[in-house]
Amino acid sequence: MRVLLAAVALFVTHAAADLPTFSDNEAAAYDKGAYGNVPMTNLNSVGSKYNRFLRSVWTPEVCEKADDQHYVLAPHSFILAHAGPMLLDQQGHQVWFQQGFSTTYGLDVQTYKGEKYLTWWTGNNRMRDHGAGYYYMMDKNYNMFRKLSAVGNDLDGDLHEFTITKDDTAIVTIYSTESHNLSEFNVTRAEPNGTDVDAYINESMFQELDIETNELLFEWRATDHIPFSANYGGPKGKGRTFNGAWDWFHINSVDKDDKGNYLISSRYTHALFYLDGRTGDVLWQIGGKNNSFIDLSDGRATNIARQHHARWADDYRSITVFDNGEEGPRNVWRSRGLKMAVDTARMEVSVTADAYHPHNYTTVSQGSAQQLDNGNLLVGWGNTGAFTEFSSDGKEVLCDWQFAALFAGKSGGWSAGAAESYRVFQRSWKGEPLQPPDINFGSKESMLYVSWNGATEVRQWRLEGSNDVSGDSDAWKPVSQIEKQGFESNITVDSDKYMGFRLTALDKNEESLGMWALNATGITETLFLAAAQNLKSPEQSKKTDNDDDDRLLDGSWHLATISALAGAFFALTLSKLWQSRRQLSTIINSDASTTDEVFSEQLSNVRKDFASLAQKVLGRSRTNHEYQLVSGTSRLNSQDLEDSGSIRENNKAARVDIEEKHAGARAPQ
């Protein structure tokens, strides 16, 4: 294999590039805003910044988990320079960040057909307390796998829920502004002609979707099953105009159990509802005005208020929920992570974990509660920029993190949206990016900065140098092998020893994850990538004497192949056009549309023949990912991010039956 390298000479030392997380002895200064309201650190390899977290409480035997465990969150706010979906390691260092999705809610790792995917919602979050956007699934190679939309005319996917069920279906929430009779609240529409008295509400809905086809499987609407009287507080002036619709229910989470029934959370009824999976009828509820359970904890289980993120736990014997605690039955402005035991045979409920933060956070919006594999409770504090791991009973703070100064504001707190994350999880994730690392030389070309976005398995970086421009593998000499520190590492380069070099990423067993040729301007070639099937490292190729695979790594072979394919394509094109000319001669008097059809058909055939020939010349059929690898990139396809109008059009017919079913329920009542 030949790799031509630019003349760059090296001698190397190492230092961590991105700064460590703030520790407990810096907490007071952090919260006073001494490092900024949302502290950041520079990344030289990518030319941007990322959030620098505060670790105020750290219990090593608990917080230092397996290498595959990551914090999963999506910070956002109007002052946050680095907003969007991200993964953190157990030390609080960024592992992965996705550009272009600054308004992201509900980032999670979910399983679909046995494979793990990063999932999230992105769109417009300024839609009167709900959202209008789409749902995304990204695979372990960070390629977009699916983009889902709500089904129905004028319906947009809402930000509050995107969960994948054990049936490999997706559940999403939707808000729709509709007309309803609110005469019981003395609210009528403010219309110029005054003829229509029906007022406006924000209908709360959820849909279950087929992930493969985006087809509608099930739909539920709050007004079909729950009366407006279940709301706390009433319209309070809302409902008279379309833009001032009354958000009376506010659905914010949905979970499906093994019986096919649904557990949902309603913010403005202060209740959790358990729904029949066939009819949508309410089977029971926890909290609210029509609570179904005996509370064995003196009301501490059923007095939830404006809660979020209700999830089954312990094989459907318990429920975890984030209780915002703002207003409501408790009349205590103090948020908590809550776990309750639920006995549906005896209709009894009791608190098993009550997790309050020592700073008495009051989270007015958002929030999450996750039971971890060790039984502990991870609480995300929503619009308060923090998350905390508690002991299983919620009494002890074991690991505590912040990504915004919480006491920097004049009013005494930054718990009102300086930076926030809708939910925070801890999940197992193994990322295998196909794109190469980002590298950048310092201004004097004496410092090499390197990072590999999303590569969860990198533990070391190895740098090798050579004075043999032919690229003979035996000529490569070890220069430096350093431990990866944080997201970005840097290597001091001295210019007088080697003419060229290559960089290798190593896992915990010092096995190669990837190898790249470098020059002073950056990466010039991908030599090996473990995540790409059928590509082998130079050492593996040498051992097997597989000349065909070795040629795949040779730039000169690619040039010859491209030339051969271009010539073949030209010959095929001439042949097909000659056939088209003969056909056209017999229909010369036909209209232009007939002529266009013939040319379109022949062009399609040329493309098919070219693709077939390309596979034969290359000796194998490559996937799209592998073609991206050859060019050294793996990026989101523009089609992945385009408007999903075609998907929604295809689902209009599928929605007809649903619309007819609910026609009566949507009439004034």
Side-chain angles (χ1 to χ4, degrees):
M1 178 190 68
R2 292 173 178 246
V3 180
L4 298 180
L5 301 173
V8 179
L10 306 175
F11 176 79
V12 191
T13 58
H14 169 259
D18 53 335
L19 298 172
T21 54
F22 293 98
S23 58
D24 55 348
N25 60 352
E26 299 169 292
Y30 187 104
D31 276 333
K32 291 179 180 178
Y35 309 107
N37 293 332
V38 183
M40 310 291 289
T41 186
N42 291 316
L43 293 175
N44 295 287
S45 58
V46 295
S48 66
K49 298 181 178 182
Y50 84 94
N51 305 326
R52 192 177 173 199
F53 287 67
L54 166 66
R55 186 179 70 190
S56 58
V57 178
W58 182 255
T59 309
E61 62 271 22
V62 176
C63 305
E64 293 179 358
K65 297 180 173 63
D67 290 341
D68 67 340
Q69 295 294 310
H70 298 87
Y71 291 114
V72 181
L73 64 162
H76 60 274
S77 86
F78 64 95
I79 65 170
L80 196 60
H82 191 69
M86 68 172 62
L87 302 177
L88 305 178
D89 64 19
Q90 298 300 308
Q91 301 297 322
H93 292 291
Q94 178 178 294
V95 173
W96 168 78
F97 176 79
Q98 182 61 55
Q99 298 282 359
F101 292 87
S102 59
T103 307
T104 292
Y105 283 69
L107 179 69
D108 201 354
V109 175
Q110 302 194 71
T111 300
Y112 173 66
K113 293 188 175 180
E115 297 291 334
K116 291 183 179 180
Y117 295 89
L118 292 166
T119 64
W120 69 86
W121 173 95
T122 291
N124 182 358
N125 67 340
R126 303 293 181 184
M127 302 292 292
R128 304 183 301 278
D129 296 326
H130 58 276
Y134 299 94
Y135 308 95
Y136 295 87
M137 297 174 64
M138 181 175 277
D139 66 22
K140 66 180 180 181
N141 301 126
Y142 302 101
N143 289 296
M144 201 60 75
F145 175 74
R146 287 286 185 275
K147 179 183 177 182
L148 302 174
S149 64
V151 176
N153 295 331
D154 301 321
L155 292 181
D156 294 299
D158 170 56
L159 59 85
H160 285 94
E161 188 65 271
F162 173 29
T163 186
I164 297 177
T165 72
K166 292 183 178 180
D167 300 322
D168 288 324
T169 59
I171 295 177
V172 301
T173 50
I174 300 165
Y175 284 69
S176 175
T177 302
E178 300 176 356
S179 297
H180 278 266
N181 190 318
L182 297 181
S183 58
E184 62 182 295
F185 301 99
N186 295 318
V187 177
T188 58
R189 183 185 302 185
E191 295 288 346
N193 58 17
T195 58
D196 192 347
V197 298
D198 284 351
Y200 293 102
I201 68 160
N202 281 332
E203 173 70 293
S204 284
M205 309 163 54
F206 73 83
Q207 292 181 344
E208 187 167 1
L209 306 175
D210 184 305
I211 292 177
E212 289 294 326
T213 64
N214 208 129
E215 293 177 343
L216 181 64
L217 303 175
F218 181 82
E219 182 179 278
W220 184 88
R221 292 169 171 264
T223 53
D224 288 352
H225 304 279
I226 297 170
F228 292 127
S229 58
N231 171 271
Y232 279 81
K236 295 181 178 178
K238 296 289 187 179
R240 302 193 70 226
T241 64
F242 185 89
N243 290 330
W246 180 31
D247 187 7
W248 71 281
F249 191 78
H250 199 90
I251 188 171
N252 57 30
S253 74
V254 186
D255 194 20
K256 188 177 183 181
D257 66 11
D258 59 351
K259 297 178 181 178
N261 298 331
Y262 304 95
L263 176 70
I264 70 171
S265 169
S266 164
R267 176 175 171 86
Y268 293 144
T269 65
H270 306 316
L272 310 181
F273 296 90
Y274 185 60
L275 311 175
D276 187 295
R278 297 163 300 175
T279 65
D281 293 339
V282 176
L283 300 177
W284 48 255
Q285 76 177 69
I286 296 176
K289 295 180 179 179
N290 296 296
N291 171 56
S292 308
F293 285 80
I294 299 170
D295 191 338
L296 302 180
S297 302
D298 297 325
R300 291 187 299 117
T302 56
N303 64 359
I304 52 179
R306 301 201 172 198
Q307 73 290 332
H308 286 76
H309 194 227
R311 287 291 189 266
W312 286 109
D314 301 332
D315 295 326
Y316 307 106
R317 299 189 308 274
S318 301
I319 293 174
T320 57
V321 63
F322 182 81
D323 180 14
N324 295 76
E326 177 200 7
E327 300 179 344
R330 277 199 293 144
N331 197 27
V332 176
W333 286 60
R334 191 182 179 199
S335 302
R336 59 176 172 164
L338 174 64
K339 180 183 174 184
M340 60 182 82
V342 181
D343 186 340
T344 56
R346 302 172 64 89
M347 297 303 289
E348 295 175 344
V349 63
S350 60
V351 172
T352 56
D354 233 351
Y356 291 94
H357 196 277
H359 292 338
N360 292 327
Y361 292 151
T362 298
T363 299
V364 298
S365 72
Q366 309 167 70
S368 60
Q370 176 197 2
Q371 180 171 281
L372 302 177
D373 292 341
N374 60 8
N376 292 344
L377 195 64
L378 179 68
V379 177
W381 298 101
N383 80 316
T384 299
F387 53 95
T388 309
E389 182 175 341
F390 291 88
S391 58
S392 59
D393 59 3
K395 303 301 182 184
E396 184 180 1
V397 173
L398 301 172
C399 319
D400 196 30
W401 297 89
Q402 288 176 216
F403 50 95
L406 298 179
F407 300 95
K410 294 181 180 179
S411 61
W414 272 89
S415 58
E420 53 195 44
S421 182
Y422 178 58
R423 292 172 180 170
V424 179
F425 298 106
Q426 188 176 95
R427 302 293 195 197
S428 172
W429 175 255
K430 181 180 180 180
E432 300 177 354
L434 297 178
Q435 80 276 13
D438 291 294
I439 72 164
N440 184 32
F441 285 91
S443 58
K444 297 181 180 179
E445 297 185 3
S446 60
M447 186 72 72
L448 174 65
Y449 300 94
V450 57
S451 62
W452 197 7
N453 190 30
T456 60
E457 307 307 296
V458 178
R459 298 295 177 269
Q460 297 183 61
W461 292 104
R462 175 191 292 160
L463 197 62
E464 298 171 290
S466 175
N467 288 315
D468 184 351
V469 295
S470 69
D472 186 345
S473 60
D474 293 332
W476 291 105
K477 305 301 180 184
V479 175
S480 178
Q481 188 163 319
I482 61 173
E483 295 293 324
K484 173 180 175 286
Q485 298 291 330
F487 181 76
E488 180 180 90
S489 299
N490 60 348
I491 302 170
T492 302
V493 181
D494 196 4
S495 56
D496 123 81
K497 193 167 184 182
Y498 296 107
M499 297 179 65
F501 59 102
R502 66 185 183 184
L503 181 70
T504 304
L506 302 172
D507 65 13
K508 62 183 179 181
N509 298 317
E510 297 196 24
E511 296 290 334
S512 174
L513 297 169
M515 181 186 294
W516 302 270
L518 313 180
N519 66 15
T521 62
I523 290 175
T524 60
E525 186 176 357
T526 296
L527 306 177
F528 167 66
L529 192 59
Q533 295 181 356
N534 300 323
L535 288 183
K536 299 183 179 181
S537 68
E539 290 78 9
Q540 290 172 320
S541 299
K542 185 175 181 180
K543 288 178 182 178
T544 60
D545 293 323
N546 191 327
D547 293 336
D548 289 335
D549 279 351
D550 195 50
R551 287 188 303 167
L552 289 172
L553 303 174
D554 193 328
S556 61
W557 184 84
H558 282 302
L559 182 61
T561 301
I562 292 171
S563 299
L565 288 174
F569 180 69
F570 181 70
L572 280 170
T573 302
L574 287 178
S575 174
K576 294 298 181 181
L577 289 177
W578 178 253
Q579 293 178 34
S580 295
R581 181 179 181 278
R582 295 182 61 185
Q583 290 184 18
L584 286 174
S585 66
T586 64
I587 59 172
I588 194 65
N589 294 322
S590 299
D591 58 24
S593 61
T594 305
T595 304
D596 291 341
E597 289 176 4
V598 173
F599 271 115
S600 297
E601 180 182 355
Q602 295 305 325
L603 181 58
S604 176
N605 291 336
V606 168
R607 288 184 181 133
K608 292 178 181 178
D609 291 343
F610 175 70
S612 176
L613 179 62
Q615 291 181 5
K616 292 178 181 178
V617 174
L618 290 173
R620 62 193 178 106
S621 175
R622 294 185 176 183
T623 65
N624 289 335
H625 295 176
E626 290 170 312
Y627 277 117
Q628 290 174 346
L629 171 65
V630 171
S631 63
T633 63
S634 177
R635 59 176 78 77
L636 297 180
N637 189 296
S638 60
Q639 189 173 355
D640 293 328
L641 304 181
E642 70 182 5
D643 184 83
S644 292
S646 59
I647 295 177
R648 298 174 68 177
E649 285 295 319
N650 292 337
N651 282 302
K652 284 182 179 179
R655 186 176 171 77
V656 171
D657 291 340
I658 297 293
E659 292 287 352
E660 291 178 351
K661 174 182 176 182
H662 292 284
R666 297 172 68 179
Q669 54 182 313

